[in-house]
Amino acid sequence: MTGNLKAAALAWLSGRGESARFTFTQPDGLPVGSLLDIAFERAGRGLRVHLDPAITPVWSEEAVEPVLGVSVPVDDDTLIRRWYVHRVRFDSQGTSRRVRIGTEAFARPTEWFGLDDCEMTDDGLRTPAVDRIIRSRRTPPPRQVAFSHDAPVADSRVVVGQDERMRRLRDALRAGSVPAVTALCEEFDADPDRAEGELAAAAGRCRAQLGEGALVAGPGRDRGGT
């Protein structure tokens, strides 16, 4: 599969007039193809593609970004701390395999894109999902207002998507992650027209608990900021 990835990446880079160096790294006792290192010349950064779950990704190297195969696990604390991680999968298309890049964030489904939708920047690999995640985390929230404990009636125009947002908020609360709950509240504040009714009431209660320090991280969870 790393051969398919290398061929697809070479075609992707060629279309952009860029180049990279590919190295098939072989850790002791593991088969060739477990790791693929891609060093980009222009950006001065690299990707390390992990296709074997037996190899634990290293997240502390600033210039080398791990990209995980679909079978390689990532823990919630890493997703919260890094905001997102990238994955790679290979979809069968006739007799060939098509490379897809996914962006996974805490309490969000992985979003998948073709290589043509991705860019290698000075900050690392970017997909359209990365831009949305960063925007939602960095948009200053509007002035806080008091919410009633009784959920207002939701406008029918904003009902679509409310269930998914509620699920993400419940997942963050169930995980006991203060940073994740905070991030979700900030995301909802950045798009108030799509956070009404029951969701607005739930987010308001979470804000109140965060302000009072009543919402605490569960065992083994990150208690610090993101």
Side-chain angles (χ1 to χ4, degrees):
M1 286 191 291
T2 47
N4 293 324
L5 177 57
K6 180 180 178 180
L10 282 170
W12 174 61
L13 289 168
S14 176
R16 288 164 169 72
E18 300 187 28
S19 59
R21 185 175 67 257
F22 295 80
T23 304
F24 292 95
T25 306
Q26 186 176 6
D28 292 340
L30 292 174
V32 175
S34 298
L35 286 177
L36 173 62
D37 289 323
I38 307 175
F40 293 82
E41 294 181 2
R42 181 186 64 82
R45 298 184 63 92
L47 302 175
R48 169 162 277 197
V49 182
H50 288 256
L51 297 179
D52 193 325
I55 304 173
T56 302
V58 176
W59 300 104
S60 57
E61 296 183 24
E62 183 177 349
V64 179
E65 181 179 2
V67 177
L68 312 181
V70 292
S71 64
V72 178
V74 61
D75 60 85
D76 288 344
D77 289 341
T78 297
L79 290 173
I80 292 165
R81 184 177 67 254
R82 293 182 60 87
W83 294 12
Y84 61 87
V85 301
H86 291 304
R87 291 191 176 275
V88 61
R89 78 182 189 199
F90 305 88
D91 292 347
S92 295
Q93 193 171 45
T95 58
S96 62
R97 285 179 175 270
R98 183 183 180 190
V99 174
R100 304 278 287 175
I101 300 297
T103 300
E104 179 180 0
F106 181 80
R108 288 173 177 261
T110 302
E111 297 183 63
W112 295 95
F113 306 92
L115 278 174
D116 288 340
D117 296 320
C118 305
E119 296 289 342
M120 192 65 192
T121 72
D122 292 340
D123 295 320
L125 183 61
R126 299 290 286 266
T127 69
V130 170
D131 294 331
R132 290 194 292 271
I133 291 167
I134 292 177
R135 257 196 324 268
S136 70
R137 297 291 293 270
R138 290 182 175 171
T139 301
R143 180 177 60 84
Q144 298 297 310
V145 297
F147 286 88
S148 168
H149 285 288
D150 296 323
V153 176
D155 190 309
S156 60
R157 294 170 297 178
V158 299
V159 169
V160 176
Q162 294 280 35
D163 289 347
E164 171 63 17
R165 293 179 179 85
M166 282 296 295
R167 183 192 65 76
R168 289 166 53 202
L169 185 58
R170 289 193 187 99
D171 286 346
L173 290 167
R174 189 178 299 114
S177 172
V178 172
V181 173
T182 302
L184 286 169
C185 287
E186 290 174 355
E187 177 183 330
F188 301 153
D189 282 337
D191 193 6
D193 290 339
R194 300 181 67 188
E196 297 185 0
E198 182 184 0
L199 178 59
R205 290 194 290 272
C206 287
R207 291 188 198 93
Q209 292 181 47
L210 287 167
E212 297 167 0
L215 186 64
V216 298
R221 296 291 175 184
D222 184 356
R223 293 174 181 268
T226 58

